[in-house]
Amino acid sequence: MLKKKIAVLAAVFVLLGASRSFSLGMGIQGGLPGGVAFTFGVSKIPLIWTGTWYVAGDGVNLSAAADYWFTNPVITNLGSAGTLNWFLGVGAGVDLGLHDDPYFGILVRVPAGIN
């Protein structure tokens, strides 16, 4: 059942990405504390939305954030694979810790990396 859900979700990502009105990505988010992240951007809105799930100690943390990238210049052209870029920006979000001692937090972010 889980494999079927993953296949349906992957098909939705492919269809939305092919429409050229969305930019989508999913992968491992580096930094602290890391985890599995889902990233979503709408081409006409200058924000990158991120949802992250990671295991921490005795529970799970969930976070959601919106980032504004000041810059995203090209480092090099990768031919038919596209380009390799770097980015720098600011962002804000929320963090929910589902532990023995649960918490809710406000995030301030300085996203930097390559894409």
Side-chain angles (χ1 to χ4, degrees):
M1 186 65 170
L2 180 61
K3 288 182 183 180
K4 185 176 180 181
K5 288 180 182 179
I6 291 172
V8 168
L9 188 59
V12 169
F13 291 158
V14 169
L15 292 173
L16 288 175
S19 74
R20 297 194 179 259
S21 60
F22 297 94
S23 56
L24 298 168
M26 187 175 203
I28 303 300
Q29 181 170 313
L32 299 173
V36 177
F38 171 73
T39 304
F40 179 81
V42 179
S43 301
K44 296 176 183 170
I45 300 173
L47 295 174
I48 305 298
W49 304 91
T50 304
T52 307
W53 170 83
Y54 56 94
V55 176
D58 62 348
V60 173
N61 284 35
L62 303 170
S63 68
D67 298 331
Y68 175 78
W69 292 356
F70 293 127
T71 189
N72 189 25
V74 174
I75 296 172
T76 188
N77 189 335
L78 301 174
S80 62
T83 60
L84 179 65
N85 303 352
W86 70 274
F87 62 88
L88 178 65
V90 295
V94 294
D95 189 33
L96 178 63
L98 304 174
H99 303 268
D100 290 338
D101 186 19
Y103 69 87
F104 176 82
I106 303 295
L107 305 173
V108 175
R109 295 167 44 99
V110 180
I114 59 174
N115 63 333

